[in-house]
Amino acid sequence: MLSYVFAAVQLLLRIFSKGCRMVKREFHKRMSWAIRRLLRGAMHVFSWFVVPYTYLVSARIRSNRLPPIENPLLQIPAVTLAAKIRTGQIKSEDVVSAYIERCRQVNPILNAIVEERFEHALQEARQIDDEIAKKLRTEEQMMTETPILGVPVTIKESLAVKGMSNTGGRKLKKKRIAQQDSPVVEQIRKSGGVILLVSNTPELCLCWETYNKCTGLTKNPYNLKRTVGGSSGGEAALISSAASLIGVTTDIAGSSRLPAAFVGVFGHKPSPFSVSPYGHNPSCEDESWGNFFTPGAMCRYAEDLPLLLKAMSDPSGVPLSLETTVNLTEINYFYMENDGPTGLTEPIQPDIQAAIQNVVNHFNAEKVHLKRLIWALDISICKMLRMKNIETIYTQQHDGQPNTTAGKELLKYFCGCSDSDLPSVVIGPMQHIVQNYIPSSRLAFLDEQTELLRKDFLDLLGKNGVFIYPVFPNTAHRHFAIFHKLVDTSYMMVFNTLGFPAASCMVGLDREKLPIGVQIVASPGQDHLIFAVAQELERKYGGWVPPPSHG
């Protein structure tokens, strides 16, 4: 008899516990619904002010076109270029000189370079040519030890390059100069790369529009009145205009993928800790920093992605199988057209919808519905804003610049007296709200959803699957329009939160002749699957298209 009573009590407790979980889940769903409506309403209100401003900015920009690309050295993939340099068919000095000349042609129009090191680069190129001529190493040794020997590389200014500007777009009383190379830059040098310059970023890399009060606004080579995206916009503008071939970017919320999509090149966010995340400005002491943030690879040609990532990879980091042969017919392909019927983002632009459908049809991909993607924005924002000791304008700086307060800085900004841009000013209040006013039960629920969504993707993709997904709802918009489209970045941000590698791949042009990118995602450590798909997309759709020129 007692056993029956005990079993009945257990059953009642299970029913009660399940009921509590259902009530809790329903509460958080309703809370998220309310937050979504509030955010969507806020974006709509912002648009009343932002849209007119975007037209004012565009009206002040002349509709110039770039000079034509005349030197054939500028249109050779890095894989081919590296092979020709180490065999003596092409001199590194000639290649570096060609890219320097192109930089000088386009930068006055695009405004993408923060600081150059052209003379040092030419000296390094000559030394490389002399070394190759002496035949001190075999071709096989050079290919293994220095895979990008003699190839010019550009670096995002937020990554430390010894002796060069490393302000992260901040207006400081004393300019910050990098005292040593960041680990990823050190690897580029060890791999034989010739560093040309450091490129423009938004202040502290906190925006998807590349502008700051030091260097100014970087423009899109396909239409100067359109944004190049951010925060790796300087790299994107140079690579797509043939002023750079391969570049080292960073990615914490789509910072490599969005610019790549907006200018028609390939931008990759690697698996966490396969590339060292250190030596960056802003820095962060949180142990989870490397799960969200990573240096990224940006290339004009898809075949160069594995070469560049190999050159960047941390020897003591998470290993990748970049030389694994991939059979495209054996990959499992999945896709979603958007973030779901109850998502927060704007509708996907018809031309992008059509491009994704073409990709889906090409690979015969299976449509899936991952319901937990509805939490993408919630989990991403709460996770990132809870990271500890991330450097902002409210942090004591290395140069001794005093702290400021959020109230003081907001007042200064709206009075037109702040040295900082809006994203840098509002990051402090946002961190304060998330860290102090979001209920712990809410944060715990979102952490649970993060782990469940991560498991959903791991179960779906395994070690031989890729996920096809939008990068962003539209192609390159007018400058500063991002401020009423902030929630749309959740398409990219969620994969930083989950720790999955992802890349933006060029798949064509829209009706306004602006590039279209599609996002390809794989499980951690399976970057080689993304690269194989990227190369197939380049073969199928033609890849990079030179921007309009006046020639």
Side-chain angles (χ1 to χ4, degrees):
M1 182 67 178
L2 287 174
S3 62
Y4 287 111
V5 172
F6 183 69
V9 170
Q10 282 187 317
L11 178 61
L12 288 172
L13 287 173
R14 282 198 296 270
I15 293 172
F16 178 75
S17 176
K18 185 176 181 180
C20 287
R21 287 197 300 271
M22 290 175 65
V23 169
K24 179 181 177 182
R25 190 178 298 110
E26 186 62 27
F27 167 77
H28 286 294
K29 282 184 178 180
R30 290 183 180 275
M31 185 176 179
S32 289
W33 182 89
I35 292 172
R36 282 181 174 80
R37 300 286 74 76
L38 178 65
L39 285 173
R40 178 48 60 200
M43 293 298 104
H44 183 66
V45 171
F46 288 170
S47 71
W48 300 345
F49 304 94
V50 172
V51 172
Y53 182 70
T54 67
Y55 279 89
L56 286 174
V57 172
S58 296
R60 296 170 60 185
I61 297 174
R62 296 179 61 185
S63 300
N64 292 344
R65 289 193 172 189
L66 302 180
I69 304 168
E70 296 177 338
N71 193 323
L73 291 176
L74 299 175
Q75 298 194 58
I76 300 176
V79 170
T80 305
L81 206 54
K84 288 181 178 292
I85 289 172
R86 62 176 169 260
T87 56
Q89 298 175 60
I90 294 176
K91 289 189 176 294
S92 174
E93 182 181 1
D94 293 337
V95 177
V96 170
S97 295
Y99 275 97
I100 290 173
E101 177 60 27
R102 183 63 178 171
C103 284
R104 287 173 172 157
Q105 286 179 340
V106 305
N107 194 60
I109 301 171
L110 300 176
N111 190 39
I113 299 173
V114 176
E115 189 175 12
E116 47 87 356
R117 59 185 304 276
F118 293 159
E119 290 305 316
H120 290 294
L122 284 169
Q123 291 174 13
E124 292 169 10
R126 293 183 193 113
Q127 291 173 358
I128 288 170
D129 290 333
D130 289 343
E131 176 192 331
I132 292 171
K134 292 175 182 177
K135 297 185 178 180
L136 300 176
R137 294 184 295 166
T138 65
E139 292 174 22
E140 290 74 18
Q141 286 175 321
M142 287 188 282
M143 183 171 63
T144 302
E145 298 168 2
T146 51
I148 55 172
L149 184 64
V151 176
V153 185
T154 51
I155 310 288
K156 187 176 180 178
E157 193 264 357
S158 56
L159 287 162
V161 178
K162 185 177 180 180
M164 301 199 73
S165 174
N166 185 223
T167 65
R170 283 203 67 189
K171 188 176 181 180
L172 300 170
K173 293 178 181 178
K174 184 179 180 181
K175 185 177 180 180
R176 179 185 291 183
I177 302 297
Q179 300 303 304
Q180 61 183 24
D181 288 335
S182 59
V184 66
V185 170
E186 186 178 342
Q187 288 305 123
I188 288 291
R189 291 192 196 272
K190 287 181 178 179
S191 297
V194 179
I195 297 173
L196 290 183
L197 55 85
V198 289
S199 59
N200 202 26
T201 77
E203 185 179 19
L204 293 176
C205 301
L206 287 174
C207 192
W208 294 270
E209 173 82 54
T210 298
Y211 76 107
N212 58 63
K213 293 190 176 181
C214 298
T215 310
L217 179 68
T218 299
K219 304 172 189 71
N220 192 314
Y222 293 85
N223 185 334
L224 301 184
K225 296 179 183 290
R226 300 300 179 104
T227 182
V228 73
S231 62
S232 304
E235 283 302 305
L238 292 169
I239 291 171
S240 66
S241 63
S244 176
L245 179 60
I246 54 177
V248 182
T249 61
T250 64
D251 196 309
I252 192 172
S255 298
S256 183
R257 286 161 286 161
L258 187 65
F262 280 177
V263 301
V265 295
F266 296 85
H268 180 63
K269 182 197 89 66
S271 294
F273 293 106
S274 59
V275 181
S276 173
Y278 307 111
H280 183 263
N281 178 28
S283 60
C284 181
E285 298 174 7
D286 195 295
E287 61 183 13
S288 63
W289 173 244
N291 292 323
F292 296 96
F293 170 85
T294 179
M298 191 177 288
C299 306
R300 211 180 319 144
Y301 304 102
E303 64 184 290
D304 293 338
L305 284 169
L307 175 70
L308 178 55
L309 189 52
K310 178 182 178 181
M312 294 167 55
S313 295
D314 184 353
S316 60
V318 173
L320 299 175
S321 305
L322 297 177
E323 297 178 0
T324 300
T325 301
V326 177
N327 186 336
L328 290 169
T329 62
E330 295 178 355
I331 294 178
N332 299 315
Y333 300 93
F334 307 96
Y335 79 98
M336 282 179 63
E337 298 168 329
N338 51 48
D339 58 349
T342 57
L344 177 63
T345 59
E346 290 283 355
I348 303 297
Q349 183 178 307
D351 290 345
I352 296 177
Q353 284 183 329
I356 290 176
Q357 194 58 52
N358 288 338
V359 171
V360 164
N361 292 340
H362 180 67
F363 290 118
N364 193 27
E366 176 186 346
K367 188 174 184 177
V368 294
H369 179 50
L370 299 174
K371 295 181 180 179
R372 290 189 182 90
L373 272 174
I374 192 176
W375 306 107
L377 185 69
D378 308 62
I379 65 178
S380 299
I381 289 178
C382 286
K383 277 279 189 179
M384 291 183 188
L385 291 178
R386 286 155 60 200
M387 284 192 289
K388 300 175 183 177
N389 299 322
I390 186 168
E391 187 176 354
T392 69
I393 64 171
Y394 304 104
T395 306
Q396 185 72 34
Q397 300 299 311
H398 297 303
D399 59 8
Q401 187 159 294
N403 290 329
T404 185
T405 63
K408 178 182 177 182
E409 205 61 37
L410 281 167
L411 179 62
K412 286 171 63 179
Y413 180 82
F414 288 112
C415 289
C417 301
S418 177
D419 287 333
S420 294
D421 296 316
L422 183 60
S424 295
V425 173
V426 300
I427 187 71
M430 289 174 64
Q431 287 177 318
H432 183 74
I433 291 170
V434 170
Q435 294 173 10
N436 295 280
Y437 293 103
I438 302 294
S440 57
S441 60
R442 171 70 175 173
L443 296 175
F445 174 79
L446 293 177
D447 287 343
E448 179 187 13
Q449 296 308 309
T450 301
E451 292 308 311
L452 290 172
L453 181 57
R454 178 179 169 81
K455 185 177 184 301
D456 288 343
F457 269 107
L458 288 173
D459 291 343
L460 178 71
L461 301 179
K463 293 186 177 181
N464 200 38
V466 297
F467 182 62
I468 302 165
Y469 201 49
V471 178
F472 199 73
N474 55 261
T475 53
H477 43 247
R478 293 179 183 273
H479 292 287
F480 301 103
I482 189 64
F483 287 111
H484 72 94
K485 298 171 180 281
L486 292 172
V487 297
D488 297 332
T489 59
S490 60
Y491 279 106
M492 302 168 291
M493 204 186 314
V494 65
F495 298 111
N496 294 85
T497 306
L498 300 177
F500 280 62
S504 172
C505 302
M506 166 66 165
V507 291
L509 302 174
D510 70 3
R511 64 195 67 189
E512 295 185 66
K513 305 300 180 184
L514 294 169
I516 297 173
V518 63
Q519 191 169 198
I520 307 296
V521 184
S523 293
Q526 309 306 313
D527 301 55
H528 59 286
L529 298 180
I530 296 174
F531 294 164
V533 172
Q535 290 178 55
E536 172 61 14
L537 290 174
E538 183 178 53
R539 184 201 67 78
K540 173 69 176 177
Y541 300 106
W544 170 74
V545 176
S549 65
H550 58 61

